[in-house]
Amino acid sequence: MTDKKVVAIIPARGGSKGLPGKHLRLLAGKPLLAYAVEPAVASPSIDRVIVTTDSDEIAAAARALGAEVPFLRPAGLADDAATTESALRHAVEWLDEHEGYHADIVVFLTCTAIFREPSWLEEAVTRLLADPGLDTVFVGLLTHKNYWRRIDGRFVRLAADIPYGSRQTREPLYREETPTACATRADLIRAGRRVGARVDIIATDDDRVLLDVHSDFDLWLAEKVLVEWPALGRTGH
């Protein structure tokens, strides 16, 4: 038990170019929205689950799933140029101003990252509560791939200090998967940041977290994985 206020905030704007109406599109018989709301509502460590949306239809669906929608997001924070950080900050500040509810920890997750373990939400909050020195805890996918970027006209390998080697012996990197599960101090959200400087990572090798549903192909593939992967007796990587 803790006196810290923990709120989950799920952004779900109405507009989507790649997959129109995506938050209410059905996946294995449930709207995408449910894949974020249901685990958050079921999490013992989360006090409130807020869906921030500009859509009355999404708001009604969110409430039916057990989430709160205490406001509709302003149009200027729900267009194609709006950032996740601006939506999270608006939600936290709205609760501050209109309800006097001053969150201590914000759990961020999205409807499009559907392959999450409910335990990850608990773990993120628990680690943040246990260590006052941490700003953020999020899920990270272990990877042994090499990443490159272009700097000053030439390509430079990131993490160049990690030597080439076999997958079995090489030190892994961690790909940030904050839409799957992320807990951050609310004061950082108020400052417009999703991830702080001092982080801890919940490591997973479950490649399903790479699938983020933003197109008809993504939706089709997610359905195949949800329906056929468990039938093969496989639950992870």
Side-chain angles (χ1 to χ4, degrees), residues 2-30:
T2 175
D3 59 355
K4 298 294 185 183
K5 295 182 175 66
V6 181
V7 58
I9 300 177
I10 302 168
R13 71 186 183 97
S16 173
K17 297 296 191 295
L19 186 63
K22 67 182 177 184
H23 292 103
L24 299 181
R25 294 283 291 268
L26 294 182
L27 173 62
K30 297 195 298 186

Side-chain angles (χ1 to χ4, degrees), residues 87-115:
L88 295 175
R89 181 175 184 173
H90 171 265
V92 170
E93 291 181 342
W94 193 96
L95 294 172
D96 286 339
E97 179 180 352
H98 294 272
E99 295 189 2
Y101 180 87
H102 303 294
D104 296 293
I105 292 173
V106 172
V107 177
F108 162 64
L109 58 162
T110 73
C111 310
T112 58
I114 62 168
F115 293 105

Side-chain angles (χ1 to χ4, degrees), residues 144-212:
H144 297 83
K145 299 291 186 181
N146 296 304
Y147 289 86
W148 296 71
R149 64 176 298 190
R150 193 175 182 88
I151 301 176
D152 297 330
R154 68 188 187 93
F155 288 103
V156 177
R157 184 165 73 94
L158 302 183
D161 57 316
I162 299 177
Y164 282 100
S166 69
R167 178 183 177 89
Q168 289 73 27
T169 61
R170 189 175 180 217
E171 179 184 348
L173 299 174
Y174 299 85
R175 171 178 148 142
E176 180 185 312
E177 299 293 343
T178 50
T180 303
C182 174
T184 293
R185 307 279 176 197
D187 282 344
L188 281 169
I189 300 295
R190 293 183 180 97
R193 300 168 63 189
R194 188 193 324 181
V195 175
R198 298 163 299 178
V199 308
D200 193 8
I201 294 177
I202 302 168
T204 180
D205 64 354
D206 189 341
D207 290 330
R208 295 177 302 170
V209 300
L210 290 169
L211 184 53
D212 207 13

Side-chain angles (χ1 to χ4, degrees), residues 46-106:
I46 295 174
D47 305 316
R48 301 179 66 180
V49 179
I50 306 291
V51 171
T52 168
T53 183
D54 59 323
S55 163
D56 288 319
E57 190 177 7
I58 292 175
R63 293 187 182 106
L65 289 165
E68 300 178 53
V69 189
F71 57 83
L72 286 181
R73 199 191 318 172
L77 296 178
D79 58 20
D80 290 343
T83 64
T84 296
E85 286 77 10
S86 66
L88 295 175
R89 181 175 184 173
H90 171 265
V92 170
E93 291 181 342
W94 193 96
L95 294 172
D96 286 339
E97 179 180 352
H98 294 272
E99 295 189 2
Y101 180 87
H102 303 294
D104 296 293
I105 292 173
V106 172

